[in-house]
């Protein structure tokens, strides 16, 4: 029969072993990579002490805010329920997985521990726990093992807790530093793309970003209260990174698709561990194929309106040992950074609009000088249409003038691919988008004319042209609406805006005055020419009368000039004649276009 060692010997041996293990743990905790070194030293000491047991060390991960297996790393992470149950136990408390009586609430935790192949668990408090595949029993031979685990575990728990606090403090410093540089970026005079690169670099140090993008909303013009995304609105990438690799996507996609629509409609943030399940829960159709498992997105908001979205996601892969999930801290940082991104984008957009506006006003002034320098009506009309299309970066433009007799609008001049086919066509009074601008004397924008009830579709069919967007403004001169100026199909992305309307209205005011002056000059010039011709003719006739006594020749000349002035083809000159019997009648002195036999001059 084998003699058991004395308790005194066991105690001395245990002290030496515990002191040696603690010394190694303390030494590892003092190294630069303290966390990894401490875990490695602890695992090595436990393996040496319990050579037949499989050791599992589970620690809290501040980045993911989850408990992960620190050693061996290949094992799947425990459930959140098991982590909450174990970390709720007292520090250095030993949990033996036996078949004894259990409280109903402990059964799920025990079942998961058995499924993980663990027989004994040592709670370390918030830092995590240690699990062994062998049970330590309750008898004297195992008392030493239990005492060793508790004493070493108590020291390890204290060291790990301090390390976690130090890591949290360091991480907080990194967050503040990253947010500081992102906040400073609002005032940087850099290109937008460079600023977004800077923001991504800083944000990726604070938030896990397997896939990240910023997309801007290209919305149809809004008039009045309109807060929801329409089928015609689209999103286009301003910045896209996947797997630390920058990618460039230029094709826009519908803003009404997936969870991004909810972000834009409600200026909200959504975080989910399962994109498809979240779409189903919220009653929206997911993108095809689904973009991610874990997904977080927030609206970029400026002046209480959504200008785009910022999204991070983690694609689902078959190699995942645990499901990726964004944390509360990551969500908070993500939303904070999104506010800075929105401010940066809005600021640069404002500068771009101001610069564009300044250029447009300079162009407007230059065009005004050109219009004022010409009194030729056709030249003025051509200048107006060509420069209106250029001013708004549009594909084509047209100018319609009112016919006072019928009230119709007549295409006087048109530019673009189908311009010549439209000239001379008439738009019935009050019809079409141009008719609405004329009768209501206000600008009209239509970003989808074919769906607009005011649209007069016959023009597109006659001109073999597709109108995708249009803005029409009235031409007002001296308190009177004389016509309509319209610009069609903006080049590139985007639709016509209210700012475009204001600019075109300013241009139209100058154009209307120039047109009115040219019309007045033309009509005055024609009247003067007609009067001059009349005076010249009278002078000529007078000279002819004084130069000859041949009445027939003089009357023939008089008739010729009368026909020329009036544009007539038939005429006659006759004088009252009294015959020998006292009868009065007409004697024809000259005629053109009549039967000479019946209209003899005598």
């Amino acid at each position: 029969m084998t003699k058991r060692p004395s308790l005194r010997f066991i105690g001395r041996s245990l002290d030496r072993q515990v002191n040696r293990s603690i010394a190694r743990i303390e030494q590892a905790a003092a190294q630069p990579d303290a966390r990894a070194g401490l875990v490695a030293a602890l695992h090595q000491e436990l393996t040496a002490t319990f050579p037949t047991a499989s050791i599992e060390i589970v620690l809290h991960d501040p980045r993911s805010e989850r408990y992960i297996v620190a050693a061996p790393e290949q094992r799947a992470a425990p459930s959140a329920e098991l982590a909450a149950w174990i970390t709720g136990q007292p520090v250095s408390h030993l949990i033996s997985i036996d078949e004894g009586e259990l409280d109903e609430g402990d059964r799920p935790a025990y079942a998961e521990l058995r499924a993980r192949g663990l027989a004994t668990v040592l709670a370390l408090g918030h830092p995590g726990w240690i699990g062994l595949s062998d049970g330590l029993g309750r008898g004297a031979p195992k008392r030493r093992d239990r005492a060793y685990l508790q004493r070493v575990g108590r020291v390890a728990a204290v060291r790990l807790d301090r390390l976690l606090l130090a890591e949290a403090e360091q991480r907080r410093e990194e967050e503040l530093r990253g947010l500081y540089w992102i906040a400073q970026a609002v005032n940087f005079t850099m290109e937008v793309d460079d600023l977004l690169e800077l923001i991504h670099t800083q944000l990726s140090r604070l938030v896990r970003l397997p896939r990240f993008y910023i997309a801007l909303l290209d919305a149809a013009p809004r008039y009045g209260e309109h807060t929801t995304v329409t089928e015609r609105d689209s999103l286009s990438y301003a910045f896209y990174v996947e797997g630390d690799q920058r990618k460039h996507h230029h094709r826009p996609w519908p803003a009404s698709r997936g969870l991004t629509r909810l972000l834009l409609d409600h200026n909200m943030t959504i975080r989910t561990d399962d994109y498809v399940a979240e779409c189903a829960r919220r009653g929206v159709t997911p993108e095809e194929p689904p973009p991610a498992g874990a997904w977080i997105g927030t609206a970029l908001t400026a002046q209480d309106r959504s200008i785009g979205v910022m999204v991070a996601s983690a694609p689902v892969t078959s190699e995942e040992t645990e499901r990726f999930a964004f944390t509360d801290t990551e969500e908070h940082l993500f939303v904070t950074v999104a506010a800075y991104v929105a401010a940066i984008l809005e600021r640069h957009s404002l500068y771009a609009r101001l610069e564009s506006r300044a250029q447009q006003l300079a162009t407007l002034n230059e065009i005004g000088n050109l219009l004022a320098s010409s009194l030729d009506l056709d030249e003025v009309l051509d200048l107006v249409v060509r420069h209106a299309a250029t001013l708004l970066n549009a594909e084509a433009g047209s100018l319609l003038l009112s016919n006072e007799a019928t009230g119709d609008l007549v295409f006087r001049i048109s530019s673009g691919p189908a311009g010549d086919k439209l000239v001379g066509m008439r738009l019935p009074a009050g019809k079409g988008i141009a008719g609405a601008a004329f009768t209501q004397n206000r600008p009209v924008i239509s970003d989808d004319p074919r769906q607009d009830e005011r649209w007069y579709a016959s023009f597109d069919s006659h001109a073999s042209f597709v109108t995708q967007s249009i803005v029409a403004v009235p031409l007002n001169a001296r308190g009177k609406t004389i016509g309509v100026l319209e610009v069609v199909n903006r080049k590139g992305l985007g639709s016509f805006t209210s700012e475009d309307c204001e600019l075109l209205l300013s241009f139209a005011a100058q154009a209307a005055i120039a047109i009115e002056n040219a019309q007045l000059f033309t009509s005055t010039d024609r009247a003067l020419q007609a009067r001059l011709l009349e005076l010249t003719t009278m002078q000529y006739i007078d000279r002819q009368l004084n130069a000859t006594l041949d009445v027939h020749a003089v009357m023939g000349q008089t008739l010729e000039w009368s026909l020329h002035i009036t544009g007539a083809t038939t005429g006659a000159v006759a004088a009252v004649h009294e015959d020998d019997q006292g009868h009065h009648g007409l004697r024809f002195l000259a005629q053109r276009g009549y039967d000479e036999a019946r209209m003899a001059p005598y």
Side-chain angles (χ1 to χ4, degrees), residues 258-280:
L259 294 178
T260 51
R261 174 169 192 162
L262 299 179
L263 304 183
L264 295 168
D265 280 349
H266 305 292
N267 289 341
M268 66 187 302
T269 300
I270 296 177
R271 187 185 96 207
T272 178
D273 297 344
D274 190 328
Y275 176 85
V276 175
E278 188 70 18
C279 286

Side-chain angles (χ1 to χ4, degrees), residues 560-573:
E560 287 293 340
W561 280 103
S562 298
L563 294 175
H564 176 72
I565 291 172
T566 61
T569 58
T570 304
V573 178

Side-chain angles (χ1 to χ4, degrees), residues 88-103:
Q89 305 294 327
V91 176
S92 76
H93 175 65
L94 275 171
I95 304 170
S96 296
I97 314 304
D98 53 27
E99 299 297 334
E101 292 294 327
L102 300 175
D103 294 334

